[in-house]
């Protein structure tokens, strides 16, 4: 039996978790949320005849932590098997890259060279790249901030040897700063999906069809192109 998404709407409202820490997917221009994630959220709300109510978060870890607190109905998160124990994912609608920013004069030429004894990596707790680092680092030390923005500020203030982040977020954070450079090369690739706040939610099939249509008709590509300008 096909299960629709109307049950996500409560009193005409669809609460959507928006992570403003991921600048590749969300931007704020004059107080307005732009980017592919808010655009998909509005398209879904329109599809359901609801008003989209953004629930703003500064980091993906906080979005995930609130999944079982009835604070949002739909979210956008990177696909991760650990997270799948608590939430349901659609197919990915976009793949983004994570890398490091380093200080000028650093000997690191690529992300592969960073995992060394005595190196401290700053990261945002609960982010997809943080989960990857926890599972893959062998020698370097991982130090955390609560949000991507806080990890960038800590790095700017002199903490850590490198800071991890989504490439677009790093470029926006450190644009024009001569003492900091974003590394070429990729730390890890992150597949982004729409999310429902419980595991194996039967409504995820219908949400996945919504994502499939948004990709097929060019909506996702158009919104990504707008963000890149």
């Amino acid at each position: 039996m096909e299960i629709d998404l109307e049950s996500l709407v409560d009193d005409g409202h669809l609460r959507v978790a928006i992570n403003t820490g991921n600048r590749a997917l969300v931007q704020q221009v004059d107080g307005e949320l732009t980017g592919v994630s808010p655009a998909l959220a509005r398209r879904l709300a329109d599809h359901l005849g609801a008003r989209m109510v953004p629930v703003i978060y500064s980091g993906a870890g906080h979005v995930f932590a609130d999944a079982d607190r009835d604070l949002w109905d739909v979210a956008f998160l990177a696909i991760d098997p650990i997270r799948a124990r608590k939430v349901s994912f659609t197919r990915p609608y976009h793949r983004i890259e994570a890398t490091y920013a380093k200080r000028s004069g650093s000997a690191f030429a690529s992300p592969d060279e960073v995992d060394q004894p005595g190196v401290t990596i700053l990261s945002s707790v609960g982010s997809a790249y943080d989960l990857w680092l926890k599972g893959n680092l062998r020698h370097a030390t991982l130090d955390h901030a609560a949000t991507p923005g806080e990890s960038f500020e800590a790095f700017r203030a002199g903490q850590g040897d490198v800071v991890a982040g989504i490439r677009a977020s790093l470029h926006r954070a450190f644009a024009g700063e001569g003492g900091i450079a974003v590394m070429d090369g990729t730390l890890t690739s992150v597949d982004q999906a729409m999310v429902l706040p419980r595991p194996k939610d039967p409504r995820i099939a219908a949400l996945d069809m919504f994502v499939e249509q948004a990709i097929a008709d060019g909506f996702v590509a158009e919104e990504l192109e707008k963000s890149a300008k």
Side-chain angles (χ1 to χ4, degrees), residues 14-128:
L14 180 70
R15 301 170 300 170
V16 183
I18 301 291
N19 170 23
T20 59
N22 191 333
R23 300 294 182 83
L25 306 178
V26 182
Q27 300 88 46
Q28 289 181 290
V29 179
D30 297 328
E32 181 183 355
L33 292 168
T34 63
V36 65
S37 293
L40 279 168
R42 294 187 185 98
R43 175 170 165 142
L44 178 62
D46 290 345
H47 174 70
L48 297 175
R51 183 170 75 87
M52 192 272 278
V53 178
V55 183
I56 303 300
Y57 290 89
S58 57
H62 298 308
V63 176
F64 180 69
D66 279 352
D68 54 4
R69 297 182 61 197
D70 191 27
L71 295 177
W72 51 264
D73 305 306
V74 180
F76 300 85
L77 288 171
I79 297 173
D80 181 84
I82 296 175
R83 289 176 175 171
R85 301 171 189 169
K86 189 174 177 179
V87 300
S88 300
F89 292 100
T90 66
R91 73 189 62 203
Y93 63 89
H94 185 46
R95 174 171 289 180
I96 57 179
E97 292 184 350
T99 187
Y100 297 116
K102 64 178 182 177
R103 295 189 178 85
S104 298
S106 168
F108 300 126
S110 72
D112 293 340
E113 298 177 3
V114 172
D115 188 12
Q116 299 179 26
V119 172
T120 298
I121 300 169
L122 291 178
S123 182
S124 172
V125 65
S127 62

Side-chain angles (χ1 to χ4, degrees), residues 7 36 38 58 76 79 89 92 126-127 147 150 159 193 203 209 219:
S7 59
V36 65
S58 57
F76 300 85
I79 297 173
F89 292 100
S127 62
T147 67
E150 290 177 39
Q159 297 182 35
R203 297 172 295 185
M209 290 178 62
F219 180 84

Side-chain angles (χ1 to χ4, degrees), residues 215-227:
I215 295 170
D217 65 20
F219 180 84
V220 169
E222 181 180 347
E223 292 300 326
L224 289 168
E225 185 177 352
K226 289 180 186 177
S227 299

